[in-house]
Amino acid sequence: MTETFALDLSGGPYRLGVIGDPVAHSLSPALHQPALDQRGIPAVYERWHTLAVDLASRVESLRDSEILGASVTVPHKIAVMGMVDEISPAARRAGAVNTIVNRGGALFGDNTDIYGFGVTVSDALGGRTPRVAIVLGAGGAARAVVLALEAAGAAEIVVANRDDERARQLAQDLHPAPVRPMRLDGEFLSRELPRAGLLVNATSLGWHPGETPIALPRLDLLPAGAVVADLTYRDTDLLLAAQERGLKTTDGLPMLVHQGARAFELWTGSPAPLETMLAAARAARLGS
Ligand code: NDP
């Protein structure tokens, strides 16, 4: 877990929030408020619905001494990069900031999705590193997944996207990560799935029943022992079909919790109460 540091939070009350458009369905408040309360940190975590036109003033407002920081979600993760004072090397490489920390009026941007997926996949694979991983999708989340897999030591990361130009751009931007960009089609799946130790759905397909990034019978091509991960935080049709075939699976909830835990530690300097956050996220998901 993140290195923690001494931070004087004896003042307060403090504020934190999630910046995005929309934010009404964000699980972040449900995740962070119980964690703040458990650690005795006098802070409230709010929803800061922010239109693009108001983003600069919203980010500027984070410099106030009562603000500890913010989460950043769709569609602002790229735009905020030009509005903070310092960006971590990982966030710069990913091309996206999902966490802003107020350090005495100076704003630090980081990307904790990389860490969140890294922990999730390590747990799912029992600490093993997949030699060949297939990532479906080439958007912002896929970039975090690729950087986590690179850090874990994957030898080959095949990124397949409907728009193959976007996959090629990802490979170029994340060089020297060992990425092979592909078009997501039937021929690709027949050829590559039998080689994969890990299949990750990082497309936006899966939130609604019947939505799958690949035809489900294709899962028969995966080797026994392969793990299927989905960034969607529900039991997607893809995950259910993988489970029916005896494959190990993980949904996106642990990634959400671990990225949040890392952010919590950056904001507060306190270790995140992981079990509390996981339970709160599960309860909020049921209620959403
Ligand atoms: P983006 O909009 O940046 O990317 C969306 C991706 O999905 C693109 O690769 C896009 O392909 C693909 N896609 C969309 N529709 C289709 C389709 N009909 N057929 C094939 N491919 C399609 O989104 P993000 O990368 O930000 O997010 C992706 C998913 O990950 C979302 O569901 C999001 O909720 C989830 N997520 C989960 C997190 C967690 O903590 N669990 C963290 C971050 C994201 P194309 O380029 O061809 O359009």
Side-chain angles (χ1 to χ4, degrees), residues 86-141:
E86 192 189 338
I87 295 175
S88 74
R92 187 165 298 288
R93 211 161 153 232
V97 158
N98 78 336
T99 302
I100 298 176
V101 186
N102 179 14
R103 291 180 171 164
L107 300 182
F108 172 72
D110 205 347
N111 184 316
T112 65
D113 282 337
I114 302 166
Y115 173 85
F117 186 76
V119 177
T120 301
V121 82
S122 169
D123 287 351
L125 285 156
R128 283 182 297 125
T129 298
R131 211 186 67 73
V132 179
I134 296 181
V135 179
L136 306 175

Side-chain angles (χ1 to χ4, degrees), residues 35-103:
L36 291 163
D37 295 346
Q38 179 164 335
R39 288 285 180 253
I41 296 168
V44 286
Y45 190 102
E46 302 167 345
R47 292 176 201 274
W48 292 333
H49 180 222
T50 305
L51 302 177
V53 65
D54 299 322
L55 185 61
S57 58
R58 171 70 74 191
V59 173
E60 202 51 33
S61 74
L62 302 180
R63 299 181 190 279
D64 194 291
S65 59
E66 68 167 359
I67 308 274
L68 297 180
S71 312
V72 183
T73 187
V74 175
H76 300 320
K77 289 185 186 184
I78 298 171
V80 296
M81 293 183 76
M83 300 172 184
V84 297
D85 304 301
E86 192 189 338
I87 295 175
S88 74
R92 187 165 298 288
R93 211 161 153 232
V97 158
N98 78 336
T99 302
I100 298 176
V101 186
N102 179 14
R103 291 180 171 164

Side-chain angles (χ1 to χ4, degrees), residues 137-141 161-163 166 202-205 207 231 233 252 255-256:
N161 201 45
R162 176 176 62 173
D163 170 1
R166 201 170 175 196
T203 74
S204 39
L205 297 180
W207 288 102
L231 301 200
Y233 26 92
M255 175 178 175
L256 180 81

